Amino acid sequence: PFYSFIMCWNDVGDDTRMHPQSPVETGENLLAGVYNTLRNSAHWEDTLLIVNFDENGGIYDHVQPPVTIPPYPGSPPDVWVSGSGQQYEFDYTILGFRIPVLLISTWLNTGIDNTQFQNTAILRFLQDLASSSTGQGPASFLTQRDRYANSVALAFEEFGAENMRTD
């Protein structure tokens, strides 16, 4: 398929979430199974495996979350009230803590990309791919955030291999 999404946890079987309270080995085994299945498939040469996490992997990050374009500029902030009655507002003008992401492809050399990405960078990549494959012009965007997100395609500009890697 053009795009597949694999969730790393389920309500039956082994806990593969890789959260601090979970056994990390089961999550690593799931990732190894997905990687090895792709690596041994006929589609390995034209597959980009993106492994991303939904949390920063710790309680503390020394880097302040950067500002960003909110999904709907000019909209009022979301407001919610906690169980204790404390009111909170969030206007979506900052990103969250940094999270690790792995881009695995036969067309990428190894390296660490210092580009500021956000989770919508993957969505932007898919939108750009879909619009280029249909030949119908620029992608349509869901919000301003994905419209202005850096695409993970930038990694191919910096780390792209001239020839397909076999190592």
Side-chain angles (χ1 to χ4, degrees):
F2 175 77
Y3 174 75
S4 297
F5 185 83
I6 300 172
M7 295 296 285
C8 66
W9 70 87
N10 57 46
D11 292 333
V12 292
D14 293 334
D15 180 359
T16 57
R17 294 178 292 173
M18 292 197 247
H19 286 145
Q21 75 277 14
S22 303
V24 176
E25 294 84 3
T26 53
E28 291 288 333
N29 288 337
L30 173 64
L31 181 55
V34 170
Y35 171 82
N36 288 322
T37 298
L38 287 172
R39 180 81 170 92
N40 294 314
S41 79
H43 302 287
W44 177 240
E45 295 177 7
D46 59 3
T47 295
L48 171 63
L49 174 60
I50 301 174
V51 180
N52 69 315
F53 297 84
D54 63 348
E55 294 159 343
N56 63 328
I59 299 172
Y60 175 79
D61 190 349
H62 69 285
V63 176
Q64 177 72 24
V67 297
T68 190
I69 297 168
Y72 304 102
S75 294
D78 282 347
V79 177
W80 68 96
V81 179
S82 71
S84 64
Q86 177 71 37
Q87 181 174 309
Y88 296 94
E89 292 185 4
F90 190 70
D91 64 3
Y92 299 94
T93 58
I94 63 169
L95 296 175
F97 293 108
R98 297 177 300 166
I99 57 173
V101 175
L102 306 173
L103 302 177
I104 303 167
S105 168
T106 58
W107 296 99
L108 285 172
N109 292 309
T110 60
I112 297 174
D113 195 334
N114 293 315
T115 304
Q116 179 179 303
F117 292 108
Q118 52 189 335
N119 286 340
T120 52
I122 298 167
L123 175 59
R124 175 62 191 261
F125 177 68
L126 293 170
Q127 291 165 329
D128 291 346
L129 277 179
S131 66
S132 67
S133 68
T134 63
Q136 296 182 4
S140 57
F141 301 101
L142 300 175
T143 69
Q144 295 303 306
R145 184 162 290 172
D146 59 299
R147 175 186 297 271
Y148 295 108
N150 286 322
S151 168
V152 295
L154 292 175
F156 285 91
E157 292 177 20
E158 185 172 351
F159 299 101
E162 290 186 27
N163 298 306
M164 186 185 79
R165 292 177 50 186
T166 58
D167 59 350

